[in-house]
Amino acid sequence: MNISILKMFFKALGINPNSFTSTDLLVRFLRFLPLLIEHFHLIELGQPNTGKSFISKMFPEKIEMVTALTLAKIFGNMNGKEGYISDKNYSILFDEITNLTQSDISSDLRSALKSYLNGDSFSRSEKDISYSTSCYFAGNTIDKTQTNLDTSPTFYKAGIFTNLPEFFTENAMIERLVWSPGWLLTKTDDSNLSSESTENYFKMVDKFFHENRCSENKDIKIPFTHNSRDCRKARKIITGFIVTLYNGQFSSDNIAELMEFSEFIIKLGYGKYSRFWDTHNGKKFLLNFLPLYLPKDSSINRVFFCEDRVLVVTKETPNKIYKIALNKYGIIENENEINSYTSNSNISKLIAPIEKYNNTSLILIQDFYEFLDLRLEFKDTKLTPIEAEINELKQKIDTLTNNQNNLIEWNSVLISKYNALVDFTLSIKTGLILPLPEKIFVNNNNNQDSNFTNFINSINSPNLNFKNHQLGHKNGEYRIMNFSHLIK
């Protein structure tokens, strides 16, 4: 995957891509697809200041903002005068659609848009309208709705955007448009801006549009739906990412990874939200973005997916774990954890030491304690059989080494106790009886078990009820590793 091409798009807008979560980057990148893929029709609703209309200002020669909602202005008049949808425009932007009412969109225009968005041609005067211009519809969410969505994505459902004109909520329009979750995005501020000059990046992106604009790859099979319109939308999403991230060269694994993200987007149109990285292929897809958030030239050693964050251990710092937010809910989790650790003395002593990385809530860095429940760890199946066997042997060697160290320690204790017992036995004969040696425990884990019991009692006293995948251990010591969702 060529992440540098993806970064180029954001740098052309004057944005530092490393300052956004991977979900934020992917959703924001969807805005470029109407310029890259023919007939890619997108609708996005989100809060102001997230950059919905900024692309049209940066590329006015390729994406034109619609200022007049009439059939003649959009599709051309009966005398053959060209409209917004034409050969010259890669895309057009319908901005502030949430300020419209149903009556602002005439029935003739609604009918024409439905035909056009479906990919059908129709006649205006003596000319058939069969252009490849894409349409991008953008609007703002209501504050109350956005506040609920900022709290949890579980608030998302069909019909949640009550300020949309009825036209956009019709089944025909839901099926024709790609519904981008602009409500997932964080507002852009000074911390997101890049210090690099945008001029060269802008020229590179402009050239990229010119050389790579294309139609959907019809050879891509969509297994998660039989709806023909949804299949076309999914193919267009995947095609856009293939062209950008894989230079048009791709494997079946690449398609499988992109399929999870496209399914996530398609289902949003029907009011269904899910984490696309809850699947194996979704996790594999996100692995490609992790270098954006780690120190330069880091080698990823272990990866743990935990709800809205991914936890990474590198080979360079095996005693630390990077807690990287995957979306804005992951950022909230990070903020909750750092605030609790720095301000709540009762719980901070039970937490593995934690701090912000690069002074941002996007990433935390925490002392790494081995998780009690290893099901949290993600094993990448990209490894060849030989590589997988080598890794397995390394893990067995590590286990044997630990067992050997424990055996040496136990043997040392055993010899010491045996010598003490011999001395005690001899002292009986001399009449100078020595103190009775301490009992030798058969179970050498007694001390560790005692530590674990004491730790569990400590963390459960406030009725927090932690589970194994939230706890870690190291050298007989236990610490809380994940806890933000329990903090109110």
Side-chain angles (χ1 to χ4, degrees), residues 271-484:
K272 299 176 182 179
Y273 174 86
S274 62
R275 299 186 186 100
F276 63 90
W277 57 86
D278 280 349
T279 64
H280 185 84
N281 284 320
K283 289 180 174 67
K284 285 173 63 178
F285 181 48
L286 282 184
L287 290 182
N288 297 288
F289 294 85
L290 296 184
L292 288 173
Y293 309 104
L294 298 171
K296 189 177 180 181
D297 299 325
S298 292
S299 302
I300 297 173
N301 189 25
R302 301 178 70 181
V303 177
F304 305 83
F305 279 85
C306 186
E307 298 178 346
D308 294 302
R309 295 182 296 175
V310 60
L311 317 181
V312 181
V313 179
T314 65
K315 292 180 180 178
E316 292 75 16
T317 54
N319 61 329
K320 298 289 184 181
I321 188 165
Y322 293 88
K323 311 181 85 165
I324 304 170
L326 294 174
N327 55 23
K328 66 181 177 184
Y329 306 110
I331 291 177
I332 293 172
E333 288 185 27
N334 276 351
E335 289 175 344
N336 284 342
E337 286 196 355
I338 196 69
N339 290 338
S340 180
Y341 182 73
T342 56
S343 63
N344 190 333
S345 58
N346 291 328
I347 195 173
S348 60
K349 60 187 178 183
L350 303 172
I351 300 169
I354 190 170
E355 61 183 324
K356 285 187 176 182
Y357 178 66
N358 287 343
N359 199 34
T360 173
S361 296
L362 185 66
I363 310 167
L364 298 184
I365 188 166
Q366 185 178 39
D367 284 5
F368 179 55
Y369 286 62
E370 187 72 56
F371 288 100
L372 289 179
D373 189 346
L374 292 180
R375 287 176 296 179
L376 200 65
E377 186 169 6
F378 174 67
K379 301 289 188 180
D380 186 6
T381 57
K382 287 181 180 177
L383 296 176
T384 65
I386 294 177
E387 289 173 326
E389 188 174 348
I390 290 173
N391 274 6
E392 186 177 350
L393 287 173
K394 285 180 178 178
Q395 291 177 3
K396 287 181 178 179
I397 290 171
D398 289 340
T399 300
L400 288 173
T401 301
N402 290 333
N403 290 341
Q404 182 187 34
N405 291 336
N406 291 335
L407 185 60
I408 291 172
E409 183 180 350
W410 170 245
N411 192 49
S412 176
V413 172
L414 184 62
I415 291 171
S416 175
K417 300 292 185 183
Y418 173 77
N419 290 334
L421 182 60
V422 170
D423 291 341
F424 173 77
T425 304
L426 292 174
S427 72
I428 295 175
K429 294 182 178 182
T430 62
L432 299 172
I433 302 175
L434 297 174
L436 184 68
E438 295 178 11
K439 181 179 178 181
I440 300 176
F441 290 100
V442 175
N443 179 13
N444 192 42
N445 290 325
N446 181 73
N447 186 49
Q448 186 176 9
D449 291 343
S450 175
N451 290 344
F452 181 66
T453 301
N454 292 336
F455 180 74
I456 292 297
N457 290 337
S458 298
I459 62 175
N460 284 343
S461 56
N463 297 318
L464 295 179
N465 297 319
F466 284 91
K467 299 184 184 302
N468 280 358
H469 70 270
Q470 296 158 331
L471 307 176
H473 66 97
K474 180 167 58 179
N475 300 326
E477 181 182 72
Y478 295 84
R479 287 289 183 269
I480 301 171
M481 298 299 293
N482 298 302
F483 58 95
S484 64

Side-chain angles (χ1 to χ4, degrees), residues 102-114:
Q102 184 76 353
S103 59
D104 291 324
I105 312 170
S106 68
S107 59
D108 288 343
L109 178 56
R110 295 199 297 270
S111 177
L113 278 172
K114 286 177 185 177

Side-chain angles (χ1 to χ4, degrees), residues 7 24 33 42 55-56 62 75 103 107 137 147 211 214 225 243-244 315 317 323 349 387 407 414 469 477:
K7 292 168 68 174
D24 216 315
L33 295 192
L42 186 74
I55 291 179
S56 69
K62 288 184 168 57
F75 293 102
S103 59
S107 59
F137 302 89
T147 299
E211 294 179 348
C214 61
T225 179
V243 170
T244 307
K315 292 180 180 178
T317 54
K323 311 181 85 165
K349 60 187 178 183
E387 289 173 326
L407 185 60
L414 184 62
H469 70 270
E477 181 182 72

Side-chain angles (χ1 to χ4, degrees), residues 6 8-15 24-36 40 42 44 49-66 89-95 134-138 180 185 188 202 205-206 209 213:
L6 185 71
M8 175 185 74
F9 280 86
F10 292 98
K11 289 182 177 181
L13 300 179
I15 290 175
D24 216 315
L25 289 175
L26 291 168
V27 172
R28 287 173 184 268
F29 181 68
L30 288 176
R31 297 168 177 168
F32 289 101
L33 295 192
L35 298 173
L36 191 57
F40 188 94
L42 186 74
E44 179 182 355
N49 300 320
T50 53
K52 292 189 293 295
S53 59
F54 191 54
I55 291 179
S56 69
K57 297 174 183 176
M58 294 298 295
F59 300 95
E61 294 181 358
K62 288 184 168 57
I63 178 168
E64 187 173 2
M65 186 178 294
V66 172
N89 286 325
Y90 283 6
S91 179
I92 56 176
L93 169 66
F94 296 79
D95 202 13
S134 301
C135 296
Y136 175 23
F137 302 89
S180 178
L185 305 181
T188 307
F202 172 81
V205 171
D206 194 56
F209 287 144
R213 182 168 168 83

Side-chain angles (χ1 to χ4, degrees), residues 109-125:
L109 178 56
R110 295 199 297 270
S111 177
L113 278 172
K114 286 177 185 177
S115 294
Y116 183 75
L117 297 175
N118 198 47
D120 303 330
S121 62
F122 60 96
S123 296
R124 287 288 290 163
S125 184

